[in-house]
Amino acid sequence: MKALQKSGDAWLSQSGQVVTLCENFQYGACNWLCHSPQARYCAACQYNRTIPNLQSPENLQAFKKLAQGARRLFYAVHRWGLPAPTKIENPSEGIAFDFLEDQIDESGNLRKVMTGHDAGLITLAASEASDLERLKRQEALNEKYRTVLGHFRHEIGHYYWDRLIGVDRRRLDAFRVIFGDERVDYAESLKRNYTDGPPQNWADLYVSSYASSHPWEDFAESWAHYLHMVDTLETASALGVVSVGTEENTHPYFDPYLEKQFDKVWSAWPVLAVKLNEINRAMGMPDIYPFVVNEVIKSKIEFVHNLIKEPNRDGPSNP
């Protein structure tokens, strides 16, 4: 965090340096700074290709929530140094966001936006920023967890599957051992999931029922859960809620973003998750982390950890 003060039309840091605010600051939607005086948008907002009409108060509130989720997502992406070009920098492999409103078609029917990913273009329904609308969809789909941030983390997982796994034969073979063969028909798999539901034993093999629909979705869900774990652990550690180590050698601050050993992250997570769930129950609120993670699911999340931590992971090692 930086304390700023206004000097004429400029903003100054405590050291007197002129800094540039993200253009979305004017809407109360972003408090990040830009990397250069020439940049209009910060390291998160630069990915926005389409945003709702901000003249609408409802859209403005939705955009604020969407922008907040994007900042948390890119905090993790940039801390790990993951490849993240914009579509302007790299049209074929870059990332862009479309935050779209539901539309009324010519027949007067409501056409809802579908959240999804396509070659780096991530589409999110602006209506997902509404707590009421999101809860309706969560109940309709019988989901345990549904948040704007969860959508960001899940959809970016599809992007990194394409960028890091699909182009690398060695990683692809390792992926298929753990998650299954992604060459099974994707559209048919999703259709079967929505019509027939997940297999009865899905909880033994997948972190969520939706993860059972296809190996790509299994990976994206595992990716999202790893980001849930790491970001929550870092926040809890910074606040003094969690520490890692033995009684004789406890480290007061634990940064899971820098931790190379997955077991350290893994051992700290269930302790924190149980505490957070109990705190929420004490307030009559739903569990923060309503999931049970066994050894099978652990191996999938560990795959994500190893992928992120792998040296020279940005390019294919054996295409």
Side-chain angles (χ1 to χ4, degrees):
M1 298 291 292
K2 294 181 181 293
L4 305 180
Q5 54 183 305
K6 199 72 179 293
S7 176
D9 293 332
W11 287 93
L12 304 179
S13 67
Q14 287 179 308
S15 63
Q17 179 185 5
V18 177
V19 296
T20 305
L21 302 178
C22 176
E23 194 159 305
N24 286 324
F25 175 82
Q26 64 183 306
Y27 304 111
C30 184
N31 64 345
W32 277 16
L33 303 177
C34 298
H35 286 307
S36 69
Q38 294 76 32
R40 294 176 58 196
Y41 297 103
C42 71
C45 292
Q46 65 177 335
Y47 296 95
N48 298 345
R49 191 180 77 163
T50 307
I51 65 173
N53 178 7
L54 301 185
Q55 297 303 311
S56 160
E58 293 80 7
N59 285 346
L60 178 57
Q61 290 305 311
F63 181 60
K64 288 180 179 181
K65 290 186 178 180
L66 293 166
Q68 183 182 54
R71 289 196 301 276
R72 278 208 171 269
L73 171 68
F74 283 107
Y75 172 80
V77 167
H78 295 313
R79 282 217 60 190
W80 280 317
L82 292 168
T86 66
K87 281 288 186 188
I88 295 175
E89 296 167 327
N90 188 333
S92 62
E93 294 185 345
I95 301 170
F97 293 137
D98 281 350
F99 303 139
L100 304 181
E101 303 172 65
D102 296 337
Q103 299 292 327
I104 304 295
D105 64 19
E106 296 178 353
S107 302
N109 299 314
L110 178 65
R111 300 189 64 178
K112 291 190 174 183
V113 174
M114 299 298 293
T115 295
H117 166 266
D118 182 16
L121 176 60
I122 295 173
T123 301
L124 268 76
S127 57
E128 287 279 353
S130 163
D131 293 338
L132 179 58
E133 179 62 29
R134 194 172 59 256
L135 285 172
K136 286 180 179 178
R137 298 186 185 191
Q138 182 175 343
E139 290 187 6
L141 296 171
N142 195 29
E143 296 176 336
K144 295 181 177 180
Y145 171 91
R146 189 181 185 94
T147 66
V148 168
L149 182 55
H151 284 317
F152 274 115
R153 288 171 173 167
H154 175 98
E155 299 303 337
I156 207 72
H158 287 299
Y159 170 77
Y160 284 114
W161 191 95
D162 290 345
R163 187 75 188 268
L164 302 179
I165 299 175
V167 296
D168 189 296
R169 185 68 199 186
R170 176 182 57 80
R171 295 182 191 138
L172 187 57
D173 288 342
F175 167 86
R176 288 172 179 166
V177 170
I178 297 175
F179 293 90
D181 194 336
E182 83 292 346
R183 291 170 293 188
V184 64
D185 191 282
Y186 180 67
E188 284 298 318
S189 296
L190 292 189
K191 180 180 178 181
R192 183 171 56 252
N193 176 73
Y194 287 122
T195 56
D196 302 337
Q200 288 188 342
N201 67 332
W202 70 264
D204 297 331
L205 304 171
Y206 305 96
V207 73
S208 69
S209 61
Y210 187 59
S212 68
S213 61
H214 190 275
W216 282 338
E217 298 301 342
D218 194 8
F219 174 80
E221 285 287 86
S222 300
W223 177 282
H225 276 258
Y226 181 67
L227 267 64
H228 293 336
M229 291 167 51
V230 170
D231 198 40
T232 307
L233 279 168
E234 189 215 24
T235 302
S237 181
L239 296 173
V241 177
V242 65
S243 58
V244 175
T246 63
E247 292 184 2
E248 297 77 19
N249 186 26
T250 298
H251 303 288
Y253 180 64
F254 169 59
D255 189 345
Y257 281 103
L258 300 179
E259 184 54 59
K260 294 182 179 180
Q261 297 182 39
F262 177 72
D263 283 344
K264 285 189 177 181
V265 178
W266 181 256
S267 62
W269 175 243
V271 177
L272 176 61
V274 168
K275 290 179 180 179
L276 294 177
N277 286 346
E278 291 295 340
I279 290 171
N280 259 30
R281 292 174 189 179
M283 286 293 293
M285 298 291 291
D287 287 354
I288 288 179
Y289 192 74
F291 302 95
V292 176
V293 182
N294 59 26
E295 288 297 316
V296 175
I297 299 167
K298 173 189 174 183
S299 68
K300 297 175 180 180
I301 298 176
E302 185 171 12
F303 178 91
V304 174
H305 170 90
N306 291 335
L307 177 67
I308 290 173
K309 299 296 181 179
E310 181 181 331
N312 305 315
R313 50 130 204 274
D314 295 353
S317 58
N318 185 21

